[in-house]
Amino acid sequence: MELIRGEYNLRPRHRQCVMTIGNFDGVHLGHQAVLRQLIDQARRLGLPSLIMMFEPLPSEYFQGDKAPPRLSSLREKIEFLRSVAIDNVLCLRFDHRLANLPAREFVESLLVRGLATRFLVIGDDFRFGRGREGDFGMLRQAGSTHGFEVVNINAFEIDNQRVSSTRIRNALANGDMVLAEKLLGRPYRISGRVIQGDKRGRTIGFPTANIRLARRVSAVNGVFAVRISGLHKAPLSGVANVGTRPTVGGVFKQLEVHVFDFDGDLYGRHLHVDLLNKIRSEVKFDSFEALRQQIVRDAEAARAFLNSN
């Protein structure tokens, strides 16, 4: 799979494609229904599949730190899309120019002149262009004019409710990891590279791998039973905290992972951490000793959950 950063990096080999457009935040089961249709149509026509997405997300551009929490970083999305054999991802910088581009110009400059699109697959709620003026009807009309076909995918539902990034965020905020996994089609995952920490955990027998979150706002907070990939062929078990660590005066929100029964150097390793069960929310303790005692109880709770599941 090729990641194309910016329309100025488009080449002739990227033209004549079957494409879709969206944020794909979380790449949940609704997104995956769109991807299946995209791949099927690309194979049918013998053309490359392409996904157009945006960084930052439009909601982040317009709302800044007040935007809804992001479910997945760009790297996490790219890793998933690579695993399902998407050919190309075009990542456009969402800035003032793109935010104010009229819908008709968006179609003509990107879909027609830039990509020579042959087939477009979109979700039923897709809107685009300045003021969200573009919709399915406009795309169908443009396709008729410029010679590409457009199909929309109806909402994917579970338990008679639409699967959406918003619904998953709500599940995560409520600590309902089972529902989040059901909607995602896999456990909720945070990935990242291990950075240097303050090494306080080592002093109490709980060394942690510290991962800076590649998100403006985290969708989760608290202590979780986790499984960690990226160290051995099989995932390892552990307990993790997502938060600012208020007891020790932390400022930045990060992911701290203690891997059970593991002794080794993790600095610089890129880990995938699946959050399987929420044990408690993050709180500030009166002392470091009180925190240590709670960490012992958290680790016991995480082991019990993981051993039974």
Side-chain angles (χ1 to χ4, degrees):
M1 189 189 80
E2 182 178 356
L3 173 60
I4 310 158
R5 292 185 178 271
E7 58 190 285
Y8 49 86
N9 281 317
L10 287 172
R11 299 292 182 265
R13 66 179 180 276
H14 304 132
R15 294 169 58 83
Q16 299 284 329
C17 64
V18 176
M19 70 173 296
T20 187
I21 310 169
N23 294 322
F24 290 88
D25 190 23
V27 203
H28 54 61
L29 288 177
H31 295 142
Q32 292 171 44
V34 175
L35 295 179
R36 284 194 295 273
Q37 177 77 312
L38 178 75
I39 293 170
D40 287 347
Q41 294 296 342
R43 288 173 176 168
R44 180 179 69 85
L45 295 171
L47 296 172
S49 57
L50 182 142
I51 295 176
M52 180 189 292
M53 60 176 58
F54 311 97
E55 283 290 329
L57 302 184
S59 61
E60 294 172 340
Y61 172 81
F62 288 114
Q63 301 177 51
D65 289 339
K66 294 182 180 180
R70 178 187 284 232
L71 297 177
S72 52
S73 67
L74 175 61
R75 177 168 180 163
E76 289 164 346
K77 287 190 283 189
I78 294 300
E79 287 178 347
F80 184 90
L81 295 174
R82 182 176 287 113
S83 74
V84 296
I86 298 298
D87 294 312
N88 298 306
V89 173
L90 171 61
C91 185
L92 300 179
R93 179 174 177 78
F94 197 88
D95 53 14
H96 178 79
R97 183 192 70 84
L98 195 57
N100 289 278
L101 192 66
R104 196 167 301 280
E105 178 60 21
F106 179 94
V107 171
E108 293 177 356
S109 65
L110 292 170
L111 273 62
V112 179
R113 294 195 298 271
L115 291 164
T117 303
R118 290 278 304 280
F119 199 103
L120 177 62
V121 181
I122 60 170
D124 63 350
D125 61 342
F126 179 66
R127 302 296 294 265
F128 68 101
R130 182 178 59 197
R132 294 170 56 84
E133 63 185 359
D135 58 12
F136 177 71
M138 177 181 284
L139 287 170
R140 286 289 296 270
Q141 184 178 17
S144 177
T145 300
H146 296 288
F148 61 87
E149 189 174 350
V150 185
V151 298
N152 67 333
I153 305 298
N154 293 330
F156 188 89
E157 294 187 348
I158 289 180
D159 300 330
N160 297 316
Q161 294 184 58
R162 180 191 187 93
V163 175
S164 68
S165 299
T166 298
R167 190 178 171 195
I168 295 168
R169 289 188 196 99
N170 291 337
L172 294 173
N174 293 327
D176 191 343
M177 309 310 290
V178 173
L179 177 58
E181 180 173 345
K182 187 176 182 180
L183 301 177
L184 286 164
R186 63 194 186 284
Y188 180 66
R189 168 174 288 188
I190 299 177
S191 302
R193 196 166 300 282
V194 178
I195 60 175
Q196 289 280 354
D198 54 23
K199 302 180 181 179
R200 290 177 183 266
R202 292 185 179 184
T203 66
I204 57 175
F206 286 91
T208 58
N210 301 278
I211 299 172
R212 183 68 57 83
L213 299 179
R215 296 155 169 80
R216 292 191 182 197
V217 184
S218 174
V220 293
N221 174 278
V223 178
F224 299 84
V226 301
R227 294 204 192 277
I228 306 101
S229 302
L231 294 174
H232 291 289
K233 290 182 179 180
L236 302 180
S237 299
V239 61
N241 180 74
V242 183
T244 59
R245 303 166 301 140
T247 304
V248 296
V251 176
F252 299 104
K253 182 167 284 191
Q254 66 183 31
L255 169 64
E256 288 185 301
V257 184
H258 172 67
V259 186
F260 295 147
D261 309 315
F262 179 84
D263 183 18
D265 185 4
L266 298 178
Y267 293 129
R269 300 289 291 271
H270 193 271
L271 304 182
H272 305 290
V273 183
D274 292 339
L275 282 61
L276 303 181
N277 182 60
K278 184 170 183 178
I279 296 170
R280 63 174 175 85
S281 297
E282 185 180 51
V283 296
K284 183 176 181 179
F285 293 89
D286 294 333
S287 67
F288 190 62
E289 174 58 23
L291 172 61
R292 185 194 68 80
Q293 294 176 12
Q294 183 60 54
I295 291 174
V296 172
R297 292 190 289 270
D298 294 339
E300 291 174 350
R303 283 185 186 273
F305 174 83
L306 295 167
N307 288 337
S308 63
N309 288 270

